[in-house]
Amino acid sequence: MNAIDDHYDVVIVGAGVGGGAMANRLAAGGARVLMIERGNYLPREADNWSVKAVFHDRKYTARETWRDKDGKPFHPSTFYYVGGNSKFFGAATVRFRKEDFEVLEHEDGIAPAWPWSYDEFAPYYDEAERLMGTHGTAGADPIEPPRSGPFPYPTIGHEPEMEAIAEKLRGKGLRPFPLPIAIDRQPGGACIRCATCDGFACKLGAKNDAEVRLIRPAIATNRVHLVLDTKVLRLLTDGPGKRITGIEVEQGGQIRTIGGDLFISSAGAINSAVLLLRSANDRHKGGIGNNGSDLLGRNYMAHNNTAMMAIHPFRKNNVTFQKSMAINDYYLANSHRPYPLGNVQGLGKLQGGMLTANMKIIPEWMMSLFAKRSVDWWIMSEDLPDRNNRVLLDPDGTVRIQYTPNNEKAHNELVRQWGRVMRSIGYPLIITQRMDITVSMHQCGTAVFGRDPATSVLDPFCKVWDVDNLYVVDASFLPSSTGFNPSLTIVAQAVRVAEHLLGNTLRAAA
């Protein structure tokens, strides 16, 4: 078994965006941290950029089987590596809107208010953008919330094909803007602006994922010990159930317990919920954190997502890096509809085999032909918290995702409207693919934070209400999914929580 001491200041479960940001900030503040990752480093190799390896063979996807609400098994698109799901994210790092922190009415329901306002949260977005190395242009987004200054790095700009699209969209009265994106594109940076960023791992280390921007710098402080290929089985409490005394792990068939002053679960919204549920004991019969609210594992959200190919039969699209543009004209109530619809952003350039991996009715040769002539989009709408959408453990220990989509009217209308826009600027053939339950990249909401323990699992600093030294810092805390990629907000909350711990809990323990 890898050398692990018996006790640490902080023990973090999971080396993704949340865990990486926590380790980074806590180490910078002088804490001695253990990070536990169930996977290993993802190798940089030719298959990182192979459509066949990534989408057909699913070479890097977790070898797990979960069940849906009907008990049907499925293989989730989740990744167990240092960096977590961010190894395959599209690097979009977008702030939530000011309105997202308030009660927001949708056509099919209400997105609840957060315990923090945007104005309170904004300084942590500043630091999160710095940590992630975000490129963007302040003020370009027509509904951008207030910010204190420019992005850390300037926008990467559009290639000529996408700039021509932007001009046509502006001619239709829309306001496209540069998508804030975290890649190593500054002078001397490693990014070569390839077509295999969104949905692929980067074999150059040029995508600013959690490993590159958060974890490796944290390890370089010599205050963070990262242990790999180690699965956390459960959390152990003292007799009254008020403190975590240790964490039980399995590595190479051996089981041991590790102690610490503070424990942070950052395993992702699904696996953090699973860990707390699996840690049930006499004092926490429904799982640790499942206080009187009975909300642990509930309110699972993952967005309504559709990939769209807009095809011009006789015009090739020679763009390489397509994920440079976004449109927020429909994000809030708008002239087209009096309710929020969602966000549209460029999708990494589709290749023929990417969609045929799940769309068998169209032959790959035809999809390849279409892909050479398409402009591709990711259309994302908010799904709303529903306590019946939840993460469960079946009696045999298998993860069950009990999920029924909601707020679909808004999403379907946004897909239809964007198809109309594409046809109006010269792309008559539209192909869409709705993402299903297997796509768990934007998972959130299973341990929501709030100011009242009766209606939340975590307090405003992500501490489990009824346990003194346990925090959950990943997308579990989100009380609403909003219509944006959650990575930047997870980092911002981690910065805030780390600041709180360094100024209070850890200082008191020292």
Side-chain angles (χ1 to χ4, degrees), residues 448-506:
V448 297
F449 75 162
R451 296 192 179 276
D452 183 352
T455 57
S456 57
V457 177
L458 311 173
D459 76 8
F461 287 105
C462 286
K463 187 186 79 69
V464 173
W465 276 111
D466 49 2
V467 180
D468 294 337
N469 64 337
L470 176 61
Y471 292 72
V472 181
V473 186
D474 51 31
S476 302
F477 80 88
L478 295 177
S480 59
S481 68
T482 81
F484 291 118
N485 319 59
S487 297
L488 188 73
T489 300
I490 298 169
V491 176
Q493 177 69 352
V495 171
R496 183 170 196 132
V497 173
E499 177 185 87
H500 169 75
L501 293 175
L502 290 167
N504 296 277
T505 306
L506 287 172

Side-chain angles (χ1 to χ4, degrees), residues 301-494:
M301 296 168 281
H303 286 144
N304 294 307
N305 295 309
T306 292
M308 174 183 287
M309 297 179 76
I311 302 159
H312 191 300
F314 309 112
R315 181 189 302 150
K316 285 190 176 182
N317 180 10
N318 295 314
V319 70
T320 301
F321 194 95
Q322 188 172 251
K323 199 176 183 69
S324 61
M325 183 191 305
I327 296 90
N328 274 341
D329 294 88
Y330 307 105
Y331 188 79
L332 300 171
N334 54 85
S335 59
H336 181 72
R337 206 171 183 91
Y339 296 100
L341 295 182
N343 166 258
V344 179
Q345 59 185 255
L347 184 61
K349 188 70 196 83
L350 288 176
Q351 302 172 53
M354 292 171 68
L355 287 186
T356 54
N358 296 306
M359 191 182 292
K360 306 297 186 183
I361 60 173
I362 302 178
E364 187 167 332
W365 67 264
M366 185 177 293
M367 289 299 288
S368 296
L369 191 67
F370 288 159
K372 292 176 182 177
R373 294 163 172 79
S374 69
V375 179
D376 313 305
W377 304 96
W378 187 257
I379 302 172
M380 180 164 48
S381 305
E382 184 162 358
D383 57 343
L384 302 171
D386 179 344
R387 63 181 291 114
N388 294 316
N389 285 342
R390 61 190 302 197
V391 176
L392 296 162
L393 275 176
D394 280 348
D396 64 357
T398 300
V399 175
R400 182 186 289 257
I401 309 297
Q402 181 175 294
Y403 180 77
T404 300
N406 62 47
N407 204 29
E408 291 187 289
K409 290 179 184 177
H411 183 68
N412 292 339
E413 181 54 33
L414 181 57
V415 172
R416 283 192 294 268
Q417 174 61 13
W418 198 244
R420 295 183 198 111
V421 170
M422 286 294 99
R423 290 187 180 98
S424 74
I425 64 171
Y427 293 85
L429 180 57
I430 303 294
I431 297 177
T432 61
Q433 183 179 3
R434 178 73 181 267
M435 301 298 112
D436 61 17
I437 193 174
T438 66
V439 180
S440 56
M441 296 289 280
H442 291 183
Q443 55 184 266
C444 61
T446 57
V448 297
F449 75 162
R451 296 192 179 276
D452 183 352
T455 57
S456 57
V457 177
L458 311 173
D459 76 8
F461 287 105
C462 286
K463 187 186 79 69
V464 173
W465 276 111
D466 49 2
V467 180
D468 294 337
N469 64 337
L470 176 61
Y471 292 72
V472 181
V473 186
D474 51 31
S476 302
F477 80 88
L478 295 177
S480 59
S481 68
T482 81
F484 291 118
N485 319 59
S487 297
L488 188 73
T489 300
I490 298 169
V491 176
Q493 177 69 352

Side-chain angles (χ1 to χ4, degrees), residues 142-412:
I143 61 166
E144 183 179 45
R147 53 183 305 123
S148 63
F151 282 86
Y153 298 102
T155 179
I156 63 170
H158 303 314
E159 293 179 28
E161 292 83 358
M162 293 306 290
E163 183 55 47
I165 294 290
E167 188 60 33
K168 291 179 179 179
L169 294 177
R170 286 190 282 267
K172 296 292 180 180
L174 296 169
R175 298 167 292 176
F177 64 95
L179 176 67
I181 195 161
I183 55 177
D184 188 17
R185 187 61 186 172
Q186 64 271 22
C191 179
I192 61 172
R193 213 169 166 137
C194 70
T196 47
C197 186
D198 198 356
F200 296 85
C202 183
K203 67 181 181 182
L204 303 179
K207 179 158 47 177
N208 292 351
D209 57 42
E211 177 198 347
V212 171
R213 294 293 299 193
L214 303 173
I215 296 167
R216 288 190 181 274
I219 292 172
T221 66
N222 294 319
R223 286 189 287 271
V224 174
H225 181 191
L226 173 62
V227 61
L228 305 171
D229 299 315
T230 302
K231 183 177 181 179
V232 175
L233 302 178
R234 60 188 178 126
L235 302 165
L236 308 174
T237 69
D238 60 10
K242 294 295 293 180
R243 292 186 63 83
I244 304 298
T245 58
I247 193 164
E248 189 177 88
V249 303
E250 179 182 5
Q251 184 189 76
Q254 299 181 52
I255 297 176
R256 66 171 292 182
T257 299
I258 302 167
D261 296 323
L262 196 69
F263 295 85
I264 300 170
S265 184
S266 296
I270 292 172
N271 279 308
S272 279
V274 166
L275 174 60
L276 269 61
L277 289 167
R278 199 166 53 222
S279 300
N281 58 32
D282 289 343
R283 293 290 183 177
H284 300 274
K285 295 185 184 300
I288 294 179
N290 204 9
N291 52 30
S293 69
D294 188 31
L295 286 175
L296 177 62
R298 296 185 183 272
N299 294 311
Y300 172 75
M301 296 168 281
H303 286 144
N304 294 307
N305 295 309
T306 292
M308 174 183 287
M309 297 179 76
I311 302 159
H312 191 300
F314 309 112
R315 181 189 302 150
K316 285 190 176 182
N317 180 10
N318 295 314
V319 70
T320 301
F321 194 95
Q322 188 172 251
K323 199 176 183 69
S324 61
M325 183 191 305
I327 296 90
N328 274 341
D329 294 88
Y330 307 105
Y331 188 79
L332 300 171
N334 54 85
S335 59
H336 181 72
R337 206 171 183 91
Y339 296 100
L341 295 182
N343 166 258
V344 179
Q345 59 185 255
L347 184 61
K349 188 70 196 83
L350 288 176
Q351 302 172 53
M354 292 171 68
L355 287 186
T356 54
N358 296 306
M359 191 182 292
K360 306 297 186 183
I361 60 173
I362 302 178
E364 187 167 332
W365 67 264
M366 185 177 293
M367 289 299 288
S368 296
L369 191 67
F370 288 159
K372 292 176 182 177
R373 294 163 172 79
S374 69
V375 179
D376 313 305
W377 304 96
W378 187 257
I379 302 172
M380 180 164 48
S381 305
E382 184 162 358
D383 57 343
L384 302 171
D386 179 344
R387 63 181 291 114
N388 294 316
N389 285 342
R390 61 190 302 197
V391 176
L392 296 162
L393 275 176
D394 280 348
D396 64 357
T398 300
V399 175
R400 182 186 289 257
I401 309 297
Q402 181 175 294
Y403 180 77
T404 300
N406 62 47
N407 204 29
E408 291 187 289
K409 290 179 184 177
H411 183 68
N412 292 339

